[in-house]
């Protein structure tokens, strides 16, 4: 069982991206791809909608290309016609664009290469590296062998001409499903069972979503995938950890087929989230059985479901980047995904404040044309200004006898709340809240407004007094700090 690693919002690991280290080595002096452009690909299977688990893979594929100024292809892995559909193709493209990634003009289908896949298979037969086998599925299991017993096939030494004839007749639809397979001739005694003469082609009469009934034989993923990568000029084929034991077969196909390049496969651990189903097969079952309203049900971990629930592209990308890239399987707490969303919404969500019963107040002795003293709180921020005049108006709620002039949270800068108070004592106080630690600054300003009942009786001397007597100043609202580029604050003229 994979080791479970709990990542919380208080304990997020530093990124140690071994993939970037490998790529830097490959494109550096003397590397396999020295002087070449980094080229990756994201190859989803169009038999369902993308979920949060896929998001880690596509973030690695597209993000790695962005980091190195390279390219990333989008390729639909539609070599299996069983449950593929154009609906899923469209949904996958929409979700990737929603996350902010783009593949340019490099959009492909695995089925685009069926003719080339077939040609390469014929080439392997002619080289004596593949043969047509007649073992049934039951016999496959029986003859598979174990760690001490090699696998076997009575058809391994079939003559090349006979295999070529049978393979062509398989393509022409002369045999039923399961009658024949095309197998690679590698090593029946290999300790890696993926190398024990794996199947390269099988017969399947289901119509393909793009090719129709043109083909009745389909290449296996382990055969088609490396061919497609090499033909597209992929330098680094990044895939999840379950393909680690398939890497020798990937390299074998590239080395023994007539291909223009030799990509490097690198594996990383898949994303696991506690209490969350990330199996496309199981999610599809929920949809087909009507247990939810569809793939975009807000309860689903699909990207379209998360979008309906209110998640933002930036929060999901931040989540994928912050959990890091590792070689060992791990499980992340769902609460950390929610934390990333709260962080993003705190900076970007629209906030509106209103005064229920506004009454005009006027400060009579403030110098005309001067900047408000509150501007001193933002002198470290680019373009931080508050526009004030001599007839500086605010709004009073009708009950309390103090003002809250400014209230904002600036996580990009200090994570503090700032308040300006006009007090009973005729003064303006700046109140700075830094996670419960308070600093006070006093600015003397006289107030004269008999109708409101504000009189100079005694100054407010404690935070408790101020909190109990605050009034919202509706004419001033703080702008959000955006990416540490600055903040701009402007009062709205008070109305009579």
């Amino acid at each position: 069982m994979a080791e479970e690693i709990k990542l919380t919002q208080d304990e997020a690991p530093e990124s140690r991206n071994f993939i970037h280290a490998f790529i830097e080595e490959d494109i550096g002096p003397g590397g396999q791809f020295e002087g070449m452009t980094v080229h990756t690909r994201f190859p989803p299977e169009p038999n369902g909608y993308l979920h949060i688990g896929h998001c880690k893979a596509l973030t690695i594929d597209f993000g790695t290309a962005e980091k190195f100024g390279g390219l990333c292809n989008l390729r639909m892995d539609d070599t299996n016609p069983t449950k593929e559909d154009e609906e899923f193709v469209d949904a996958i493209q929409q979700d990737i664009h929603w996350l902010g990634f783009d593949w340019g003009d490099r959009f492909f289908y695995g089925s685009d290469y069926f003719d080339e896949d077939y040609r390469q298979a014929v080439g392997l037969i002619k080289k004596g590296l593949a043969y047509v086998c007649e073992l049934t599925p039951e016999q496959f299991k029986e003859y598979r062998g174990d760690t001490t017993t090699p696998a076997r096939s009575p058809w391994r030494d079939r003559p090349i001409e006979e295999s070529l004839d049978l393979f062509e007749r398989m393509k022409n639809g002369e045999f039923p499903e399961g009658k024949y397979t095309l197998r690679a001739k590698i090593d029946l005694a290999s300790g890696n069972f993926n190398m024990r003469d794996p199947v390269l082609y099988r017969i399947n009469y289901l119509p393909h979503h793009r090719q129709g009934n043109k083909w009745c034989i389909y290449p296996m993923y382990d055969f088609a995938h490396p061919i497609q990568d090499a033909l597209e000029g992929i330098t680094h084929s990044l895939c999840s950890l379950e393909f680690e034991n398939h890497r020798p077969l990937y390299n074998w196909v590239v080395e023994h087929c007539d291909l223009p390049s030799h990509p490097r496969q690198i594996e990383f651990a898949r994303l696991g989230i506690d209490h969350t189903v990330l199996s496309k097969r199981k999610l599809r079952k929920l949809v087909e059985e009507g247990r939810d309203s569809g793939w975009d049900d807000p309860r689903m971990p699909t990207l379209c479901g998360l979008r309906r629930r209110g998640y933002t592209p930036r929060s999901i990308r931040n989540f994928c980047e912050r959990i890091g890239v590792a070689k060992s399987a791990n499980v992340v707490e769902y609460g950390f995904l929610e934390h990333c969303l709260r962080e993003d919404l705190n900076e970007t969500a629209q906030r509106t404040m209103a005064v229920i019963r506004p009454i005009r107040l006027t400060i009579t002795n403030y110098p005309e044309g001067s900047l408000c003293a509150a501007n001193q709180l933002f002198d470290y921020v680019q373009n931080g200004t508050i526009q004030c005049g001599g007839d500086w108006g605010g709004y009073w709620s009708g009950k309390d006898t103090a003002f809250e002039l400014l209230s904002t949270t600036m996580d990009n800068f200090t994570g503090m709340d700032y308040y300006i108070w006009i007090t009973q004592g005729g003064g303006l106080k700046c109140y700075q809240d830094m996670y419960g630690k308070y600093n006070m600054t006093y600015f003397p300003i006289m107030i004269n407004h008999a109708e409101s009942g504000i009189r100079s009786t005694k100054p407010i001397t404690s935070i408790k007094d101020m909190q109990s007597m605050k009034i919202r100043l509706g004419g001033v609202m703080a702008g959000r700090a955006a990416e540490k580029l600055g903040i701009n604050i402007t009062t709205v003229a008070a109305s009579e």
Side-chain angles (χ1 to χ4, degrees):
M1 180 180 295
E3 178 185 3
E4 183 170 319
I5 303 174
K6 294 291 187 178
L7 303 176
T8 67
Q9 63 184 37
D10 298 322
E11 187 181 3
E14 294 183 2
S15 176
R16 293 191 293 270
N17 196 331
F18 64 94
I19 294 177
H20 294 168
F22 286 155
I23 293 177
E24 289 171 355
E25 177 183 334
D26 287 342
I27 63 178
Q32 178 181 353
F33 305 108
E34 180 182 358
M36 296 178 61
T37 298
V38 173
H39 203 155
T40 63
R41 85 289 172 269
F42 178 60
E45 187 175 1
N47 61 355
Y49 282 58
L50 297 181
H51 55 62
I52 186 66
H54 296 116
C55 190
K56 177 181 179 180
L58 72 89
T59 299
I60 291 174
D61 288 326
F62 282 96
T64 299
E66 285 184 355
K67 175 179 174 61
F68 290 95
L71 305 171
C72 183
N73 295 358
L74 175 60
R75 183 200 312 142
M76 296 296 159
D77 173 30
D78 59 347
T79 55
N80 181 1
T82 306
K83 292 184 178 180
E84 295 165 350
D85 194 277
E86 281 297 320
E87 172 196 353
F88 303 130
V89 173
D90 296 338
I92 289 170
Q93 293 182 80
Q94 179 184 358
D95 286 341
I96 296 175
H97 271 147
W98 177 68
L99 285 171
F101 296 114
D102 187 69
W103 51 88
D105 60 352
R106 298 174 305 281
F107 176 66
F108 306 99
Y109 287 91
S111 56
D112 292 338
Y113 304 97
F114 279 172
D115 288 300
E116 182 63 21
D117 294 336
Y118 179 80
R119 189 184 74 82
Q120 295 291 346
V122 171
L124 290 178
I125 297 175
K126 291 180 178 180
K127 295 176 182 178
L129 297 175
Y131 61 96
V132 173
C133 182
E134 296 183 37
L135 291 180
T136 66
E138 293 74 19
Q139 289 173 327
F140 257 105
K141 295 178 182 178
E142 180 182 352
Y143 295 168
R144 184 174 178 82
D146 53 34
T147 55
T148 59
T149 306
R152 55 194 175 94
S153 171
W155 314 105
R156 196 170 196 264
D157 297 322
R158 188 190 295 272
I160 291 176
E161 293 75 14
E162 185 177 343
S163 286
L164 287 171
D165 176 68
L166 288 173
F167 189 52
E168 183 176 3
R169 294 169 63 189
M170 287 168 59
K171 178 177 74 73
N172 295 335
E174 297 184 19
F175 306 113
E177 292 186 15
K179 174 64 176 176
Y180 293 109
T181 59
L182 180 69
R183 299 178 66 179
K185 186 183 291 188
I186 304 180
D187 183 4
L188 291 176
S190 174
N192 184 342
F193 278 49
N194 295 301
M195 300 295 285
R196 293 190 174 189
D197 289 11
V199 173
L200 303 182
Y201 265 89
R202 79 285 195 195
I203 301 174
N204 190 326
Y205 285 99
L206 285 175
H208 191 272
H209 76 110
R210 295 185 68 245
Q211 301 288 340
N213 294 313
K214 177 181 178 180
W215 295 90
C216 61
I217 58 172
Y218 291 95
M220 302 299 290
Y221 179 80
D222 281 341
F223 179 62
H225 177 214
I227 292 175
Q228 294 161 7
D229 283 350
L231 293 175
E232 291 178 11
I234 302 302
T235 58
H236 296 86
S237 179
L238 311 179
C239 54
S240 49
L241 201 59
E242 64 264 31
F243 291 101
E244 184 175 29
N245 291 332
H246 296 247
R247 193 198 315 152
L249 179 55
Y250 181 100
N251 293 334
W252 184 91
V253 171
V254 173
E255 291 167 0
H256 292 89
C257 289
D258 298 324
L259 298 170
S261 64
H262 190 159
R264 177 180 182 179
Q265 177 174 302
I266 304 175
E267 307 85 16
F268 56 87
R270 300 177 69 176
L271 170 63
I273 303 179
D274 62 358
H275 310 297
T276 305
V277 176
L278 295 180
S279 166
K280 192 191 298 183
R281 176 180 56 84
K282 295 179 180 178
L283 295 176
R284 184 182 184 118
K285 184 177 180 181
L286 291 175
V287 175
E288 292 176 343
E289 293 181 354
R291 296 180 180 272
D292 51 33
S293 61
W295 289 95
D296 64 345
D297 190 303
R299 297 169 295 179
M300 295 277 276
T302 55
L303 291 183
C304 56
L306 292 172
R307 184 162 61 243
R308 283 191 65 192
R309 202 186 309 175
Y311 278 81
T312 62
R314 182 183 173 191
S315 66
I316 295 176
R317 290 184 61 169
N318 285 343
F319 169 75
C320 292
E321 291 169 1
R322 292 169 66 176
I323 60 177
V325 182
K327 287 284 286 187
S328 59
N330 59 81
V331 177
V332 183
E333 286 190 353
Y334 194 89
F336 187 63
L337 175 60
E338 294 176 322
H339 168 71
C340 291
L341 175 63
R342 284 193 297 268
E343 277 191 335
D344 186 47
L345 292 180
N346 189 49
E347 296 180 7
T348 61
Q350 295 288 335
R351 291 174 171 86
T352 303
M353 295 177 286
V355 176
I356 304 301
R357 293 181 296 168
I359 298 176
R360 177 75 179 271
L361 297 179
T362 301
I363 299 175
T364 60
N365 70 334
Y366 196 85
E368 184 171 357
S370 299
L371 289 178
C372 175
N375 188 46
Q376 297 179 26
L377 297 175
F378 300 95
D379 57 5
Y380 59 90
V381 182
Q382 180 182 358
N383 297 327
T385 62
I386 299 180
Q387 303 295 333
C388 298
D391 188 20
W392 181 38
Y395 290 111
W396 177 58
S397 70
K399 293 183 179 180
D400 303 324
T401 54
F403 277 107
E404 178 184 348
L405 172 65
L406 177 62
S407 175
T408 183
T409 299
M410 297 177 294
D411 290 336
N412 278 345
F413 296 95
T414 61
M416 303 175 185
D417 287 343
Y418 293 88
Y419 301 89
I420 308 286
W421 303 82
I422 300 175
T423 70
Q424 278 184 310
L428 178 69
K429 289 192 176 182
C430 297
Y431 156 46
Q432 182 185 62
D433 177 0
M434 189 196 312
Y435 307 112
K437 299 179 181 179
Y438 307 112
N439 296 321
M440 300 296 296
T441 307
Y442 180 81
F443 301 96
I445 294 179
M446 299 300 296
I447 300 177
N448 180 15
H449 197 276
E451 181 182 350
S452 68
I454 296 180
R455 296 180 176 84
S456 297
T457 55
K458 64 178 182 178
I460 296 176
T461 59
S462 68
I463 297 298
K464 182 178 179 181
D465 291 340
M466 294 172 64
Q467 289 174 332
S468 65
M469 303 179 69
K470 68 180 180 180
I471 296 177
R472 173 73 64 191
L473 178 66
V476 178
M477 183 173 68
R480 289 187 303 275
E483 301 295 337
K484 298 188 178 181
L485 294 179
I487 186 170
N488 189 29
I489 304 171
T490 305
T491 60
V492 178
S495 60
E496 294 293 343

